[in-house]
Amino acid sequence: MAFAHYILPALALAGTAFAQCSNSGTLTIASSADASQLASCTTYSGSVAIETGLAYPKDNNGRQQVEVTNVRTITGNLTVTSAVSLSRLTFGSLQSIGGFELGDLTVLSELSMPELTEVSQLNFTALPALQTLDFGGRGLTRAESILITNTGLSSLMGINNLQQVDTFNINNNEALQNISLQVTSITNALRIEANDRYQSGLTTSFPLLETATNMTFRNCSTISLPALKNVTDDLGFYGNTFEIFSAPNLTSAGGLIFVDNTQLTNISLPQLTSINATYQIANNTELKQVDGFTKLSVVKGALDFSGNFTEVQLPALTQVQGAFNLQSSARIDCTSFDELSSNNVIRGKYTCLGLRARPGGEGTGSGSSGDGEGEESSASQIFAKLPAVVGGTLVLAGFLQMIL
């Protein structure tokens, strides 16, 4: 009986503690009492949300601060949205979260989670006052998905030591000047676009990245991919300001696209052997020579080049399964490509045009060129003019016969 007298209250207390640290729904923090309940747990099994209308005291500027201690793991999501007076959020011991969402927090300027190393999904949107991330010296090392958009962040210090990520999307962060990650693979998609509005463009570096599924870069001033070997789907560059692009170890890509990179003068991909979809170079106004693809052998989609080229060299090309379109505003020699077309190396529709007033993409080969005639190819120029010469000779001969 004495055993029951002591053990039953202890079990009841343990059951109460377990109930406080587990919730099939969502624990809502609206007051310091709610935060204290969460702080009584080292692991919280469930999701946590911070109330939009917080019952926390405000400072002289009408700002509120939320601090939660002790809890190390939240198995579900941590969500904070539209708490318009929240200026500081602190989870001093938190190491792991299922999902982490911050959104529409217009005055949040301090985010402190010095022990955080792992999240499943991180989604930061509309945080204009947040300039830095305090994720401690080590920072995040693992994440499935990261989206950071429309924030005041000037750097991504705190997530720059990521070693594993599936999806990485950083866009419309006007103060962001640099991204450097240590990941070796990106299994879904990487998108970097419309950052660093007030400077010359974002600098990006992925020194250890070897494989990726899909990569898109826009509005970047430098892009460094020294270890990249393979991109399964598209590798695309749009509207960047770099002058030189090099990926010295890239051997294959799904699609390869360079469009509207107005300062680009040189592309060097010396180990690239195959492109499994579209290969497009368009409207890169300073790119005069395309000669950095010395080993490219197979293009399984269309090859579509338009711009101001004076020289295009693809010496190892053995197969283009789709259309071949090369149009330039300058005079260009198509002899080698005529031969490839004649030998069925190029299996789709073949177009090679120089002196075009408006060089265009695949399907725009008809129409006038800069001099009113254009250069369909070196071979076609010669043979297209022969009928006119022969015809003229026959007419002249007939006329002479009549008058003699």
Side-chain angles (χ1 to χ4, degrees):
M1 296 293 293
F3 173 80
H5 177 75
Y6 290 106
I7 196 64
L8 291 177
L11 289 172
L13 182 62
T16 301
F18 178 78
Q20 290 179 335
C21 295
S22 178
N23 191 336
S24 59
T26 299
L27 171 64
T28 300
I29 295 178
S31 66
S32 57
D34 299 325
S36 296
Q37 177 185 336
L38 182 59
S40 67
C41 311
T42 55
T43 296
Y44 185 79
S45 298
S47 293
V48 176
I50 293 181
E51 180 65 54
T52 300
L54 285 168
Y56 271 75
K58 295 183 179 181
D59 62 18
N60 293 334
N61 296 316
R63 304 292 190 248
Q64 296 171 306
Q65 301 181 10
V66 172
E67 181 174 1
V68 179
T69 60
N70 193 48
V71 63
R72 297 178 182 177
T73 301
I74 297 174
T75 62
N77 300 325
L78 174 60
T79 304
V80 190
T81 58
S82 303
V84 295
S85 298
L86 182 64
S87 64
R88 178 180 174 84
L89 179 64
T90 302
F91 279 74
S93 302
L94 191 59
Q95 299 173 358
S96 174
I97 317 171
F100 187 16
E101 179 181 2
L102 301 180
D104 297 313
L105 305 173
T106 55
V107 300
L108 181 70
S109 59
E110 296 182 64
L111 175 65
S112 179
M113 296 182 172
E115 301 296 323
L116 188 64
T117 60
E118 184 174 346
V119 299
S120 178
Q121 292 89 28
L122 184 148
N123 189 333
F124 287 180
T125 62
L127 310 173
L130 186 65
Q131 298 181 11
T132 59
L133 302 172
D134 180 5
F135 290 158
R138 188 181 180 194
L140 288 180
T141 59
R142 295 183 60 190
E144 293 180 10
S145 173
I146 290 182
L147 169 65
I148 298 177
T149 179
N150 193 21
T151 75
L153 291 171
S154 59
S155 80
L156 296 184
M157 191 69 68
I159 67 172
N160 57 312
N161 287 324
L162 269 176
Q163 298 170 9
Q164 180 179 340
V165 66
D166 296 338
T167 301
F168 190 76
N169 188 337
I170 311 295
N171 69 83
N172 289 284
N173 302 285
E174 295 182 346
L176 187 61
Q177 299 178 31
N178 175 265
I179 295 175
S180 180
L181 290 188
Q182 306 305 309
V183 293
T184 58
S185 67
I186 297 173
T187 56
N188 188 8
L190 179 145
R191 296 185 67 88
I192 297 175
E193 51 193 343
N195 299 289
D196 192 16
R197 175 180 176 183
Y198 303 109
Q199 302 296 325
S200 59
L202 183 76
T203 63
T204 61
S205 177
F206 298 83
L208 304 179
L209 182 64
E210 294 185 357
T211 61
T213 299
N214 190 294
M215 303 176 71
T216 300
F217 295 90
R218 297 179 189 267
N219 316 113
C220 298
S221 61
T222 63
I223 299 171
S224 178
L225 300 166
L228 187 65
K229 296 179 180 179
N230 175 61
V231 180
T232 307
D233 293 334
D234 286 349
L235 173 59
F237 305 90
Y238 307 86
N240 299 287
T241 57
F242 53 74
E243 295 182 8
I244 296 173
F245 177 77
S246 175
N249 291 296
L250 183 67
T251 60
S252 65
L256 181 61
I257 304 164
F258 293 86
V259 174
D260 293 328
N261 304 288
T262 55
Q263 298 181 41
L264 179 64
T265 61
N266 181 265
I267 305 171
S268 177
L269 301 174
Q271 301 302 320
L272 184 68
T273 60
S274 63
I275 297 172
N276 297 318
T278 297
Y279 178 22
Q280 183 180 25
I281 298 178
N283 199 31
N284 304 286
T285 51
E286 297 300 317
L287 185 64
K288 309 301 183 182
Q289 294 179 308
V290 180
D291 56 5
F293 302 84
T294 55
K295 292 186 178 180
L296 180 62
S297 176
V298 176
V299 178
K300 293 185 178 179
L303 186 151
D304 192 3
F305 290 2
S306 57
N308 303 325
F309 318 116
T310 58
E311 181 181 5
V312 176
Q313 295 185 16
L314 298 170
L317 198 62
T318 62
Q319 185 181 130
V320 179
Q321 293 185 5
F324 180 104
N325 176 70
L326 171 56
Q327 297 187 38
S328 176
S329 60
R331 185 179 298 275
I332 193 164
D333 184 2
C334 295
T335 303
S336 62
F337 302 121
D338 292 341
E339 294 175 359
L340 295 179
S341 179
S342 298
N343 294 332
N344 204 35
V345 169
I346 298 169
R347 300 179 182 179
K349 180 182 177 181
Y350 172 65
T351 303
C352 188
L353 295 164
L355 299 176
R356 301 287 291 172
R358 291 178 296 276
E362 196 275 322
T364 63
S366 61
S368 63
S369 63
D371 63 358
E373 298 233 352
E375 295 181 349
E376 189 168 347
S377 70
S378 56
S380 63
Q381 276 188 294
I382 295 170
F383 293 111
K385 292 177 181 177
L386 281 175
V389 174
V390 173
T393 303
L394 292 175
V395 170
L396 179 60
F399 177 74
L400 290 172
Q401 187 177 16
M402 290 175 62
I403 62 176
L404 289 175

